Amino acid sequence: MKLTFHGTLSSTPYGNPRHSRQSMLEVAYGGRRLLIDCGSNWLGRLPFIDPVALLLTHAHDDHVGGLVRGAPCPVYAHAATWEKICRFPLLWRVLVTPQQPFFIAGIRLQAFVLQHSPRAPAVGYRIQAGRSTVFYCPDVARIPDRDRVLRGVELFIADGASVHRSLLRFEDGMLYGHASLFTQLQWCAEQRVPCMLASHCGEEIIENESRIVHQLQHRARKLRVKADIAHDGMTLKLP
Ligand SMILES: [Zn+2]
Ligand SMILES: [Zn+2]
């Protein structure tokens, strides 16, 4: 399985050359590739590759805005996202049922509901191909049933919107917003996930990435987790 981080920026209006495009991950396996998420600053830039499918995590603009004029392939999303983007001119719509595994191009996928936004309910995807298992969750406040969701995961692709600053809030007794990267690092340590790579980068990373990488890796070493920050165009080969 080969991962390409085409976009690693969150909804913040301030990017930089390392993080200029909003979230989009390519997963390639056996010569075919799928994309996950397509934010508004991708509008008019598709198709730049020939994906077999495009998966969506949730209906926030920095994840779906690039599809307002359509998509070149089938689009997969769960019911709450389809409800929000029902007016998009998407011809091939596939409904994803949380927790139910499905296959695209030999890649096993499974969506899990996350706590992130009451108005744009989100899922994260467990992605399995070859001998590797990855969990992709670009926007997350809390992962319900985290032990089961992250069991056997080798790489956690994390939400980099918050590093130190709290972007969490309680609404109706539920936690929403973005967990900090240090909290997500702790999740990895507790569930024995050996590697964490932050994407969906927010202002803190944009402003001072090298200092944050240093702090993150210092903490990660103590927790026996490898941690880093992805950038636009980064590729990663997994066995
Ligand atoms: Zn986002
Ligand atoms: Zn979001």
Side-chain angles (χ1 to χ4, degrees), residues 58 60 62-63 116 139 178 200:
H58 66 303
H60 278 156
D62 59 317
H63 299 264
H116 165 56
D139 292 48
H178 303 267
H200 195 259

Side-chain angles (χ1 to χ4, degrees), residues 72-89:
C73 61
V75 177
Y76 290 64
H78 71 306
T81 294
W82 280 126
E83 211 173 284
K84 293 280 178 186
I85 62 168
C86 59
R87 291 179 191 278
F88 286 19

Side-chain angles (χ1 to χ4, degrees), residues 15-171:
N16 64 23
R18 285 172 65 79
H19 311 284
S20 68
R21 295 263 164 248
Q22 289 170 338
S23 294
M24 182 191 281
L25 177 69
E26 177 189 317
V27 183
Y29 184 64
R32 291 189 287 174
R33 40 205 177 177
L34 59 86
L35 298 175
I36 311 182
D37 284 342
C38 184
S40 54
N41 74 6
W42 284 102
L43 191 61
R45 291 186 165 85
L46 283 175
F48 64 100
I49 62 168
D50 189 21
V52 294
L54 206 155
L55 279 66
L56 300 175
T57 57
H58 66 303
H60 278 156
D61 201 48
D62 59 317
H63 299 264
V64 301
L67 301 179
V68 294
R69 289 190 215 134
C73 61
V75 177
Y76 290 64
H78 71 306
T81 294
W82 280 126
E83 211 173 284
K84 293 280 178 186
I85 62 168
C86 59
R87 291 179 191 278
F88 286 19
L90 301 168
L91 301 177
W92 303 313
R93 298 173 181 228
V94 184
L95 179 66
V96 169
T97 304
Q99 301 195 31
Q100 207 170 87
F102 58 102
F103 288 83
I104 303 174
I107 302 166
R108 185 185 193 269
L109 296 140
Q110 203 173 6
F112 288 93
V113 172
L114 308 173
Q115 283 178 227
H116 165 56
S117 162
R119 281 159 287 280
V123 296
Y125 288 102
R126 234 181 110 103
I127 306 161
Q128 268 175 283
R131 287 183 278 119
S132 303
T133 304
V134 173
F135 191 68
Y136 178 70
C137 73
D139 292 48
V140 63
R142 181 178 167 268
I143 304 176
D145 202 7
R146 176 159 38 94
D147 178 46
R148 190 164 72 92
V149 172
L150 296 185
R151 196 171 298 154
V153 167
E154 283 116 24
L155 172 64
F156 181 82
I157 301 175
D159 178 353
S162 158
V163 181
H164 302 101
R165 291 175 206 159
S166 177
L167 294 175
L168 291 170
R169 65 183 190 278
F170 271 103
E171 251 183 84

